């Protein structure tokens, strides 16, 4: 057990001024006795975490219309909801001693999250961190004995809705009202839609007052280990604590960093002395090993982007198993051999594959083997390997080098079972996310509370399986992606096609079930979902190919992908559209103003229209990470202006629909508002759909339905010829 403030925590007056999070009682919630009705047959289950015996699993499920915390038996039986609040749940972790289930939820559907715990029977629910206005918290790991939970807390910046900067609407602005017949149709659906009001409203003085664009400087890791959480400046900061869910012991500060881009506690050694941290912006993630006795960082290694759970310590803390792409194109499993003080003695590659990245890594507490999920051009291959330097024991049920034939294409999460095997969250192009148990013979078995494959789509609408597609950009760089052909389309006849762009930009297009795609396909339009430069899954050089001025080439990639499907005879060159979310929303706006002659219309979802106002309005840790990808808002001001769609708005000619969540603090909704307003001022048809009680991700079933129907309807209106009345 780790108790007391600990040698690695901050001390002195400064530390005393920064008390740790205090538990807050949670209001009554749904428990086993008041489970909500199972309203969705075609539901999804994901993010499993098993109890110590492996007999029960906690997971996230949207069976009641919103992602909530559920629990169910591994073998048969009915699952039950543990928290019936309408706040979406995003992460889950069952304590090693089995007494608590920790989870992260997003009040109001926004981006500011909080960490709660609840007992497996649904009692004792309370908020551990993130309850303060404007604060945010997310899960770290448990101590090996389950007595304490590591939590990262973001220092309060602006509360949701209080962000300001050039282009932001004043807080006392008139309520937005529907405009035109399209707006009336949306607002009549279920009351969740709000359209931007008529053009001509001028922002008041409050709209022009920004928080400044200067980013806080990173604190050197050696100094940050002892810096108090209160040392974070006005730009915000991140601090990691050890918290006692029983409330019997005071919080322990592990590490803090002013102006941090990310921070997560990934593992704590069995003795409680060494702590594995993941920090840094996208593209520059680092693994730090903190010695709490000496109060210093003993090891610093590059960590791979993607899944934040980058590795674990061996039971004796003499080896660190790490998912890293240090000095290589594709992430592999590394073994760092450590001396008694935690310093590096040697670094070797324990498992690797040519031209294939290690996507997910999970290790049981006993440390005898590792569970590996490899990313093979977007699909997953699952493997269990004995770890070098350990005596893998066949009595545990899964020995070295077992591979599983998966029933669906992608593994999104793995939860190991101490006795052997794991629970895997699987998703595929023709099924909704579900949880499968992989044991003994390594043959996956669907859990009883996971939806059946045949329930993935409404009757009569069979999901489409995509085909991989490769093409070359104009500078010779090879691009990949997946092509979905509309059902009953004559293969020899070109049709309307939507180029759909993922977010990140380091995300990757993967063959997972997309209700949005199938809504578009059902209306007679194809979908091509490419990985333009900057995407993950194709090596570090590909991820870095869009840095700085390379982003202009990424915008050209969109046009090259469209040209490729036209050249193949798949797409009609006169009926092309572009659509994307987050970074894909930015890229959609950019494509419409850089290639106005190419696309008939576009749908931009949660996209950045002006990188200067984005930096002024986003969360501090988002800005810190984004500066590495896009450029610094002060030092690279001219580049950011040149890359911003708002500064080419005079080139826009295609009708555009923008969609945004009202509580999005990653990309403030005003990014969409100002683009739509500017389009209308130039006479270009433009509409804005704002989804209530949503943030950067759309998590509620009714809003997701509204989103995909509005987007598909807009695309159909502009791409598919209408039969005469």
């Amino acid at each position: 057990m780790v108790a007391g403030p600990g040698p690695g925590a901050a001390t002195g007056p400064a530390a005393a001024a920064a008390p740790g999070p205090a538990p807050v009682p949670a209001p009554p919630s749904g428990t086993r006795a008041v489970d909500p009705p199972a309203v969705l047959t075609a539901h999804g289950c994901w993010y499993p975490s098993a109890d110590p015996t492996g007999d029960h699993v906690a997971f996230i499920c949207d069976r009641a219309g919103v992602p909530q915390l559920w629990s169910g038996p591994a073998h048969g039986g009915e699952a039950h909801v543990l928290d019936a609040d309408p706040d979406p749940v995003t992460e889950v972790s069952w304590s090693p001693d089995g007494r608590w289930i920790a989870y992260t939820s997003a009040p109001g559907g926004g981006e500011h999250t909080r960490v709660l715990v609840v007992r497996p029977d649904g009692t004792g629910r309370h908020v551990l961190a993130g309850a303060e206005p404007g604060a945010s918290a997310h899960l770290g790991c448990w101590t090996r004995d389950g007595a304490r939970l590591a939590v990262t807390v973001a220092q309060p910046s602006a509360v949701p809705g209080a962000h300001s900067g050039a282009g932001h609407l004043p807080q006392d602005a008139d309520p937005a009202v529907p405009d035109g017949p399209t707006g009336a149709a949306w607002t009549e659906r279920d009351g969740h839609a709000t359209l931007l009001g008529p053009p001509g409203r001028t922002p008041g003085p409050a709209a022009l007052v920004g928080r400044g664009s200067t980013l806080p400087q990173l604190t050197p890791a050696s100094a940050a280990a002892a810096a108090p959480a209160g040392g974070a400046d006005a730009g915000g900061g991140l601090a990691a604590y050890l918290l006692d869910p029983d409330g019997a012991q005071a919080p322990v500060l592990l590490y803090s960093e002013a102006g941090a881009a990310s921070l997560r506690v990934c593992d704590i050694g069995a003795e409680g002395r060494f702590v594995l941290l993941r920090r840094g912006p996208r593209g520059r993630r680092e693994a730090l090993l903190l010695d709490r006795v000496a109060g210093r960082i003993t090891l610093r290694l590059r960590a791979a982007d993607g899944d934040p759970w980058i590795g674990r310590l061996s039971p004796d803390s003499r080896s660190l198993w790490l998912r890293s792409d240090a000095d290589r194109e594709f992430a592999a499993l590394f073994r760092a051999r450590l001396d008694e003080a935690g310093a590096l003695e040697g670094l070797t590659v324990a498992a690797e594959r040519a031209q294939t990245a290690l996507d997910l890594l999970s290790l049981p507490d006993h440390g005898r083997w590792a569970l590996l999920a490899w990313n093979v051009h977007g699909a997953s291959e699952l493997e269990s390997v004995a770890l070098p330097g350990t005596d893998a024991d066949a009595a545990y049920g899964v020995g070295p080098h077992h591979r599983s034939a998966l029933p669906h294409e992608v593994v999104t999460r793995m939860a190991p079972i101490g006795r052997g095997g794991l629970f895997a969250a699987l998703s595929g192009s023709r099924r909704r996310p579900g949880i499968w148990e992989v044991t003994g013979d390594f043959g996956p078995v669907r859990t009883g509370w996971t939806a059946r494959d045949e329930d993935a789509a409404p009757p009569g609408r069979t999901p489409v399986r995509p085909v991989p597609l490769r093409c070359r950009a104009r500078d010779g760089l090879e691009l990949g992606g997946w092509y979905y052909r509309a059902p009953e389309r004559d293969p020899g006849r070109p049709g309307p096609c939507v180029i759909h762009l993922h977010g990140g930009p380091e995300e990757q297009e993967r063959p997972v079930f997309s209700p949005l795609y199938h809504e578009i396909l059902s209306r007679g339009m194809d979908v091509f979902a490419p990985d333009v430069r900057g995407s993950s899954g194709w090596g570090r050089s590909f991820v870095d190919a869009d840095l700085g001025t390379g982003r202009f080439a990424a915008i050209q990639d969109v046009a090259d992908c469209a040209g490729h499907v036209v050249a193949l005879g798949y797409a009609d060159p006169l009926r092309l559209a572009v659509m994307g979310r987050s970074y894909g929303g930015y890229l959609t706006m950019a494509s419409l103003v850089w290639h106005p002659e190419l696309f008939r219309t576009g749908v931009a979802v949660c996209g950045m229209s002006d990188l200067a106002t984005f930096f002024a309005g986003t969360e501090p840790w988002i800005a810190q990470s984004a500066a590495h990808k896009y450029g610094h808002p002060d030092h690279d001001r001219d580049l950011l202006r040149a890359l911003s769609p708002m500064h080419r708005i005079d080139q826009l000619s295609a009708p555009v629909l923008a969609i945004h969540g009202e509580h999005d603090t990653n990309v403030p909704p005003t990014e969409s508002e100002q683009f739509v307003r500017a389009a209308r001022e130039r006479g270009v048809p433009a509409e804005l759909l704002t989804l209530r009680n949503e943030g950067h991700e759309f998590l509620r079933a009714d809003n997701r339905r509204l989103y995909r129907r509005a987007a598909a309807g807009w695309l159909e209106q502009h791409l598919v010829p209408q039969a005469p009345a």
Side-chain angles (χ1 to χ4, degrees), residues 22-36:
V24 176
S29 173
T31 62
R32 194 173 309 190
V34 290
D35 283 355

Side-chain angles (χ1 to χ4, degrees), residues 550-620:
R551 199 155 314 282
F552 292 110
I555 297 171
Q556 299 293 355
D557 287 348
V558 181
D560 294 340
C561 289
H564 184 70
V565 293
V566 168
L568 289 175
Y570 296 171
D572 182 343
L574 299 180
R575 292 191 287 167
L576 291 171
V578 61
M579 177 181 179
R581 196 194 69 81
S582 191
Y583 175 73
Y586 157 79
L587 212 52
T588 294
M589 298 179 192
S591 298
L592 291 174
V593 298
W594 259 272
H595 310 294
E597 76 291 343
L598 186 58
F599 297 108
R600 291 281 297 275
T601 189
V603 179
V605 185
C606 301
M608 306 94 74
S609 61
D610 187 316
L611 293 174
T613 56
F614 159 70
F615 274 108
T618 189
E619 299 286 357

Side-chain angles (χ1 to χ4, degrees), residues 83-394:
D83 186 341
D85 278 359
D87 298 331
V89 173
T90 57
E91 293 182 304
V92 180
S93 181
W94 206 313
S95 66
D97 61 5
R99 297 192 308 118
W100 292 100
I101 300 171
Y103 59 106
T104 306
S105 75
E111 301 308 310
H112 286 224
T113 56
R114 60 184 185 174
V115 172
L116 301 92
V117 290
V118 66
R119 296 192 184 278
D121 64 359
T123 63
R125 188 177 71 109
H126 59 277
V127 181
L128 274 187
E132 303 84 359
S136 191
H138 60 253
L139 283 176
C141 66
W142 290 91
T143 54
R144 298 292 177 103
D145 60 3
R148 290 205 177 191
L149 176 70
V151 171
T152 297
V153 178
Q155 304 305 307
S157 53
V159 298
H163 294 277
S164 61
H168 284 236
L169 294 179
Q171 294 300 302
D172 58 354
D174 294 334
V177 296
D179 180 29
T182 305
W186 283 349
T187 54
E188 287 171 2
R189 290 187 178 183
D190 59 4
H192 290 276
T194 299
L195 295 181
L196 186 67
R201 184 172 59 192
T202 302
L208 305 179
V209 180
R211 291 189 289 130
S213 57
T214 301
L215 294 177
Q217 296 300 308
L218 289 174
T219 303
S222 57
D233 60 17
L238 300 176
Y241 292 89
L242 273 181
L243 303 180
D244 177 9
D246 293 305
Q249 301 183 66
V252 175
L253 175 62
L254 294 174
Y255 185 96
S256 71
E257 184 176 319
S262 70
L263 179 63
R264 188 180 293 255
V265 181
C266 295
D267 193 26
I268 300 172
E271 300 296 326
R273 174 179 175 181
F274 294 107
V275 179
L276 174 63
L277 301 162
R278 170 190 177 266
R279 66 162 299 279
R282 295 175 299 182
R284 292 187 296 167
R285 305 292 193 197
E286 288 184 318
L288 304 182
L289 191 63
L290 169 65
D291 181 351
R292 298 183 60 226
V293 172
R296 65 186 181 91
I297 298 298
T298 65
L299 181 66
R300 189 175 192 150
L301 292 171
R302 179 183 173 96
D305 275 342
D307 186 70
W309 304 102
I310 55 173
R312 292 202 78 188
L313 290 157
S314 62
D316 61 2
S317 295
R318 296 301 297 269
S319 291
L320 169 63
W321 305 99
L322 183 69
R323 187 176 60 85
S324 173
D325 56 359
D327 300 320
R328 58 191 300 118
E329 279 290 317
F330 295 89
L333 176 62
F334 279 72
R335 179 194 184 192
R337 290 181 289 106
L338 310 174
D339 65 17
E340 291 184 355
L344 182 65
E345 286 187 333
L347 186 65
T348 56
V349 175
E352 63 181 328
R353 290 194 186 184
Q355 302 298 304
T356 302
L358 179 58
D359 203 25
L360 299 173
L361 166 65
S362 188
L363 290 85
D365 282 345
H366 54 67
R368 296 172 182 266
W369 61 75
L371 304 169
L372 313 176
W374 299 93
N375 183 332
V376 184
H377 303 310
S380 298
E381 291 186 6
L382 189 59
E383 182 178 19
S384 173
V385 298
L387 294 175
T390 66
D391 53 340
D393 189 345

